[in-house]
Amino acid sequence: MTTFSDLGLSQKVLSAVTDAGYSIPTPIQAGAIPPALQRRDILGIAQTGTGKTASFVLPMLTLLEKGRARARMPRTLILEPTRELAAQVAENFEKYGKNHKLNIALLIGGVSFDEQDRKLERGADVLICTPGRLLDHCERGKLLMTGVEILVIDEADRMLDMGFIPDIERIAKLIPFTRQTLFFSATMPPEIQKLADRFLQNPERVEVSVRSSTATTVTQRLVATHSKDYEKRAVLRDLIQSQEELKNAIIFCNRKLDVADLFRSLSRHGFSVGALHGDMDQSSRTKMLASFKDGQIQLLVASDVAARGLDIPDVSHVFNFDVPIHAEDYVHRIGRTGRAGRSGAAFTLVSKRDTKFADAIEKLIDKKIEWLNGDLSALPAPVESHDSGKPERGGRDGKRGGRRDDARRDRTPRPVAGHKSDIKTDDIPTDLEPVTAKAEPVKSERKAETKPQNAGRHSNRPAPQPYPANDDNRDRRNRYRRDQDDGPTPVGFGDDIPAFMLIAGKA
Ligand code: AMP
């Protein structure tokens, strides 16, 4: 069996790997490290969780032992699609590079330029960046890329999803052609293959089987729901509260706006909850993640992009508030639980409009997922109206929110000013302001009978604040699209049209 010492790594690196407690390289490490040390280009097809980060960090550390950095001329460059991934790679350099004296600079959005400038001035051996922020630095004329010997493009398929490929092409043009390129992607759609063909010269292709199956230790269930967000939120609350084994959970939404809504709703209901959201500045995100990792908050609402690649070893539950549109995202999401042979549970809320996405997931993982309490045909009729007086399945979010969701999702013609509207003024949401302080539990009509034994609620804990003002607004004004290393920005209001704009004036 191959061991780390067979791979050609330096003594300093080997000793740090031993201290990290690793003895056997993972397949991507065994396949990529030896050719990387020979200065070959690598095409690595592997996703997070396979040990892919160390497969480029360890050979880079070994190669960097010769030579030193000059001011404003980084020696190596790693491109990551999100701030979190970039920060995690930096942590890996600290862990495996503890016997080296290397300067590592992390250039990500949401952090002040000045601090980053100072690091560049000192000379960076390793530059870890999101593409937009790197280009911003280059345009400020403070960075010379001609000394870059190794370029790493990580999570290339995610870069494609996020619209970063033109930025990457621009960056690649700034770096000498003679560089070594290490290119990683979880999947190889044709666009990524084309990009790899352009960027790589005679690469060593290392493919570790793409996991299109989910761990057998994870219990997966579909949960039937109606499609309105307030109905889904009620179903989710019931589900969380019924989980006796729930230690902690990540709740996935498809869009960052829904992350914000769900976070607010769960806070109001007294759950111990945080959110990973694209509009949070970096230090808030790091704090949020740390609070989740050390158990100060129990539930984390996140989007795929914000949560991508996060190394959170021990999550007992995953809830898909939305069925992922891309079936592979289901595999990524579910991969957050049941790690290292532990047991885990994953629940996916499915409404009628989601069935085609649920079918695609079952096709991808090649197995039927059982329904928790009967399929969609067993669902009671939806609640017709906010004020019909009929009891709602699973309760509602206090008095607020229901109509707002209806209005947002409804694709039928909007009421026009001057015409009669069926939306009543008392349906106007009053909760449009952001949550800024500790969330108080609301009194829900179902509270008495659904009080959880152990799951979800810790209302006496201080709620972290996931939506502080971004301290980087100056930069964002000019660099709005670029500095978003969190996903596409909606145009105008996107789907999130405030409800008051949809209400007709009095006839
Ligand atoms: P990654 O795919 O880089 O996100 O790594 C996933 C996890 O695997 C991280 O927690 C690493 O610390 C861990 N890891 C990396 N290499 C090894 C190894 N050779 N043996 C055991 N765990 C590893």
Side-chain angles (χ1 to χ4, degrees):
M1 187 185 285
T2 314
T3 64
F4 275 106
S5 43
D6 300 327
L7 302 180
L9 294 163
S10 73
Q11 277 313 315
K12 282 184 186 171
V13 172
L14 285 176
S15 116
V17 168
T18 308
D19 291 352
Y22 306 143
S23 48
I24 308 296
T26 64
I28 185 79
Q29 292 163 359
I33 293 174
L37 287 170
Q38 290 160 15
R39 299 258 178 202
R40 294 269 316 270
D41 282 2
I42 304 287
L43 173 57
I45 306 167
Q47 60 189 44
T48 49
T50 56
K52 137 179 97 77
T53 316
S55 78
F56 59 84
V57 172
L58 303 182
M60 283 175 77
L61 283 168
T62 300
L63 294 171
L64 282 165
E65 284 174 22
K66 285 198 194 104
R68 55 195 297 270
R70 283 188 281 161
R72 308 214 161 269
M73 288 187 70
R75 300 170 66 195
T76 62
L77 170 65
I78 300 169
L79 294 174
E80 293 289 336
T82 67
R83 301 167 188 187
E84 278 75 20
L85 277 168
Q88 257 170 46
V89 172
E91 279 169 25
N92 269 259
F93 268 98
E94 270 164 37
K95 179 158 97 179
Y96 302 123
K98 64 181 198 164
N99 302 319
H100 296 72
K101 285 202 183 77
L102 295 174
N103 286 336
I104 316 288
L106 185 60
L107 304 190
I108 50 180
V111 177
S112 92
F113 275 97
D114 294 347
E115 201 183 307
Q116 296 178 347
D117 272 343
R118 277 195 293 279
K119 284 219 155 162
L120 295 175
E121 188 64 59
R122 266 185 266 144
D125 296 285
V126 183
L127 206 53
I128 306 164
C129 315
T130 49
R133 183 49 75 101
L134 175 69
L135 283 172
D136 287 343
H137 274 280
C138 291
E139 278 168 16
R140 288 154 60 104
K142 303 235 170 135
L143 202 48
L144 246 173
M145 305 303 285
T146 49
V148 172
E149 298 158 29
I150 304 175
L151 168 67
V152 178
I153 299 170
D154 195 18
E155 304 256 337
D157 50 354
R158 190 47 48 158
M159 299 271 201
L160 178 75
D161 286 352
M162 294 177 70
F164 285 159
I165 298 302
D167 284 351
I168 303 234
E169 304 214 20
R170 287 185 58 202
I171 293 165
K173 280 193 193 129
L174 303 172
I175 302 174
F177 189 62
T178 49
R179 66 173 188 254
Q180 177 183 15
T181 307
L182 314 176
F183 185 103
F184 292 88
S185 189
T187 54
M188 284 302 281
E191 301 96 311
I192 294 293
Q193 184 62 56
K194 267 190 228 149
L195 201 66
D197 293 344
R198 271 211 308 281
F199 286 172
L200 299 170
Q201 295 177 50
N202 185 27
E204 176 82 14
R205 185 184 168 104
V206 187
E207 181 162 3
V208 301
S209 55
V210 174
R211 229 174 19 149
S212 62
S213 63
T214 43
T216 48
T217 50
V218 179
T219 308
Q220 301 171 58
R221 293 286 180 271
L222 302 179
V223 184
T225 173
H226 294 299
S227 58
K228 301 279 196 289
D229 274 3
Y230 67 84
E231 293 168 303
K232 290 171 71 178
R233 289 198 290 261
V235 171
L236 177 71
R237 289 196 299 275
D238 284 354
L239 196 56
I240 294 171
Q241 289 165 357
S242 66
Q243 298 303 305
E244 294 193 353
E245 304 288 311
L246 191 144
K247 180 172 165 273
N248 57 1
I250 304 184
I251 305 168
F252 284 99
C253 297
N254 287 352
R255 303 177 326 146
K256 61 185 174 185
L257 294 170
D258 293 333
V259 171
D261 280 354
L262 185 58
F263 162 76
R264 277 195 277 268
S265 169
L266 288 168
S267 303
R268 281 202 303 270
H269 281 265
F271 288 87
S272 164
V273 61
L276 268 189
H277 187 280
D279 292 340
M280 291 158 70
D281 65 43
Q282 186 55 32
S283 74
S284 311
R285 289 184 202 213
T286 312
K287 264 190 235 146
M288 184 63 66
L289 204 54
S291 310
F292 184 64
K293 275 187 183 172
D294 66 22
Q296 284 177 49
I297 49 172
Q298 190 180 26
L299 308 174
L300 186 68
V301 188
S303 62
D304 292 287
V305 170
R308 183 97 177 178
L310 297 181
D311 187 22
I312 303 166
D314 191 13
V315 177
S316 72
H317 284 62
V318 166
F319 297 100
N320 291 318
F321 183 74
D322 298 311
V323 182
I325 290 163
H326 302 293
E328 314 87 69
D329 282 338
Y330 179 82
V331 180
H332 283 291
R333 292 180 182 186
I334 299 307
R336 308 267 137 221
T337 185
R339 286 191 159 194
R342 292 190 195 92
S343 61
F347 295 94
T348 303
L349 271 56
V350 182
S351 72
K352 273 201 186 108
R353 64 171 66 162
D354 305 318
T355 47
K356 71 171 185 222
F357 301 122
D359 291 347
I361 289 166
E362 291 183 330
K363 202 166 156 210
L364 178 76
I365 65 173
D366 196 23
K367 104 176 159 195
K368 280 264 164 224
I369 309 172
E370 274 178 51
W371 293 88
L372 181 65
N373 290 322
D375 62 15
L376 286 161
S377 64
L379 209 55
V383 176
E384 295 213 335
S385 146
H386 180 98
D387 51 4
S388 65
K390 286 185 206 158
E392 186 182 300
R393 183 190 143 102
R396 65 162 58 245
D397 298 345
K399 286 187 176 170
R400 301 161 165 185
R403 250 336 150 113
R404 182 186 176 198
D405 292 320
D406 291 5
R408 182 191 299 176
R409 300 272 179 238
D410 188 1
R411 303 274 175 214
T412 52
R414 309 287 188 203
V416 180
H419 289 251
K420 260 198 167 161
S421 163
D422 64 351
I423 299 176
K424 296 180 174 58
T425 44
D426 61 357
D427 288 326
I428 300 171
T430 54
D431 59 344
L432 290 171
E433 74 281 6
V435 170
T436 51
K438 178 175 178 289
E440 290 296 327
V442 291
K443 288 206 170 50
S444 149
E445 59 270 38
R446 305 186 71 250
K447 204 170 174 186
E449 69 282 5
T450 57
K451 194 91 183 109
Q453 297 83 38
N454 62 350
R457 298 187 185 211
H458 294 277
S459 51
N460 55 342
R461 287 173 177 163
Q465 298 179 28
Y467 305 107
N470 192 330
D471 60 5
D472 212 11
N473 281 339
R474 252 177 320 127
D475 309 321
R476 293 183 82 101
R477 223 172 291 139
N478 298 327
R479 309 277 179 221
Y480 191 63
R481 185 189 65 78
R482 275 229 200 122
D483 216 20
Q484 298 264 318
D485 20 33
D486 306 297
T489 305
V491 176
F493 286 109
D495 284 347
D496 201 23
I497 301 170
F500 71 85
M501 294 183 73
L502 304 174
I503 294 167
K506 287 212 167 92

